[in-house]
Amino acid sequence: MKIKNKELELLIPESDIKEKVKELAKQINKDFEGKEILAVGILKGSFIFLADLVRELEGKVCVDFMQVSSYHTEMESFGEVIFVKELTTDIKGKNVLIVDDIIDTGRTLKALVEALSLREPNILKTCVLLDKKERREVDYDADYTGFIIPDKFVVGYGLDWAEEGRTLKDIYYVKI
Ligand code: IMP
Ligand code: MG
């Protein structure tokens, strides 16, 4: 398979993703037992992961979205994080779970956690499907992490390369 004329190599098949989503949901259900959850998806990359994850969560779950942007080229980001879409919910006193597709430098999640914690949620936790641990530039790890992956660009299951590849069911490396 190819996108933008670059060969893709399978990294995580759909069946492994499904299993991991259930595993993550099990931990989250245990930690949030008896509590309402507000799941906050970070657009756009998280929308497929969020959709699968929330359907495995127990009890009352509400959903909201934020969109952030960092100055970047197609494959590299340069640091500053800007909020381009805000929440529509007041999170004060709520049990918030931020859901993102991947943590890379860590700047996005760290900035989000710093900003949202000022709004006084009761609980504020983060969940990512993928973690490129070796790329971290700030001191931040998600509370729930699916797969730790090497420093290679990935697409599929919501993740894109300049808007391509998002709808693939499995996760692939782009072979540069
Ligand atoms: P961070 O702020 O560097 O941690 O970047 C996180 C964001 O960068 C994610 O939400 C993704 O949108 C994007 N990103 C980082 N690595 C990849 C990748 O390999 N494929 C697609 N998007 C990525
Ligand atoms: Mg993203």
Side-chain angles (χ1 to χ4, degrees):
M1 205 174 332
K2 281 188 173 186
I3 57 169
K4 294 186 191 292
N5 226 19
K6 298 275 194 289
E7 203 55 56
L8 300 182
E9 192 174 299
L10 182 63
L11 174 63
I12 310 172
E14 188 186 7
S15 55
D16 290 7
I17 301 171
K18 283 196 166 144
E19 211 173 289
K20 186 64 80 175
V21 169
K22 288 201 171 133
E23 222 178 87
L24 289 168
K26 208 170 166 185
Q27 292 174 47
I28 295 164
N29 282 328
K30 194 165 147 244
D31 294 352
F32 285 76
E33 200 185 344
K35 297 190 172 77
E36 281 183 30
I37 299 176
L38 174 64
V40 173
I42 308 308
L43 295 171
K44 301 178 200 170
S46 75
F47 81 110
I48 292 176
F49 176 42
L50 180 84
D52 285 345
L53 185 70
V54 292
R55 285 179 290 174
E56 298 294 334
L57 298 180
E58 291 160 0
K60 186 177 165 192
V61 180
C62 295
V63 171
D64 204 344
F65 294 96
M66 285 183 90
Q67 189 164 8
V68 301
S69 169
S70 46
Y71 287 116
H72 61 82
T73 61
E74 282 179 348
M75 288 197 170
E76 289 284 344
S77 104
F78 300 116
E80 199 187 339
V81 176
I82 302 160
F83 294 177
V84 296
K85 189 216 169 285
E86 251 300 346
L87 291 173
T88 57
T89 318
D90 178 6
I91 62 166
K92 189 168 181 176
K94 301 251 170 84
N95 306 308
V96 177
L97 179 69
I98 299 175
V99 179
D100 207 356
D101 50 359
I102 186 166
I103 179 167
D104 182 19
T105 65
R107 290 183 192 280
T108 304
L109 271 191
K110 193 171 188 202
L112 278 165
V113 166
E114 280 171 1
L116 297 196
S117 59
L118 297 176
R119 304 179 195 179
E120 301 175 13
N122 180 41
I123 295 175
L124 182 59
K125 294 210 170 184
T126 56
C127 176
V128 294
L129 183 66
L130 306 174
D131 184 348
K132 284 190 202 168
K133 233 180 180 24
E134 62 195 84
R135 292 254 310 161
R136 205 72 91 251
E137 289 172 11
V138 295
D139 182 23
Y140 188 80
D141 283 330
D143 297 296
Y144 306 98
T145 302
F147 301 96
I148 293 173
I149 62 165
D151 177 14
K152 286 184 180 170
F153 203 81
V154 293
V155 295
Y157 197 68
L159 292 114
D160 73 304
W161 179 19
E163 298 301 326
E164 287 191 39
R166 273 194 211 285
T167 57
L168 297 167
K169 290 182 178 172
D170 314 281
I171 294 172
Y172 298 84
Y173 289 130
V174 182
K175 287 177 80 177
I176 312 285

